[in-house]
Amino acid sequence: AHELYERFNDIYILNDFDLTGVIGANKLRKKYGFKPIFLQNFRNRNNGFKDISDFRLKHTKEESKLLINKKLEKWKLKENIK
């Protein structure tokens, strides 16, 4: 993690929105300060994809980038509110 923070100010991780993914993301957040991003939440967890590879099967590269960037922007907005 130290090597990553030498290169980047913020480290985002993209985990599955399942028990294992949420627990793992929380451990990495607490231990290293990584910022978890989930493609699903309780409102849209039945959206047909549980991770980025499932999403990518039915969407273009550009749509995938747009989705990830949208999630990153939400994180950044949430941080600015605090």
Side-chain angles (χ1 to χ4, degrees), residues 39-55:
L39 298 182
Q40 296 178 320
N41 58 40
F42 289 111
R43 281 179 268 142
N44 69 357
R45 65 179 166 204
N46 295 320
N47 60 7
F49 57 90
K50 72 175 189 106
D51 57 31
I52 195 63
S53 60
D54 289 345
F55 183 85

Side-chain angles (χ1 to χ4, degrees), residues 42-82:
F42 289 111
R43 281 179 268 142
N44 69 357
R45 65 179 166 204
N46 295 320
N47 60 7
F49 57 90
K50 72 175 189 106
D51 57 31
I52 195 63
S53 60
D54 289 345
F55 183 85
R56 184 66 179 92
L57 288 173
K58 296 182 180 178
H59 297 84
T60 65
K61 179 180 172 181
E62 290 76 26
E63 289 171 320
S64 302
K65 283 182 180 181
L66 185 64
L67 176 65
I68 292 170
N69 284 331
K70 194 166 134 181
K71 297 292 181 176
L72 288 173
E73 289 303 315
K74 278 187 175 182
W75 238 110
K76 291 174 185 176
L77 283 173
K78 188 169 74 171
E79 286 183 324
N80 288 333
I81 292 172
K82 290 181 180 177

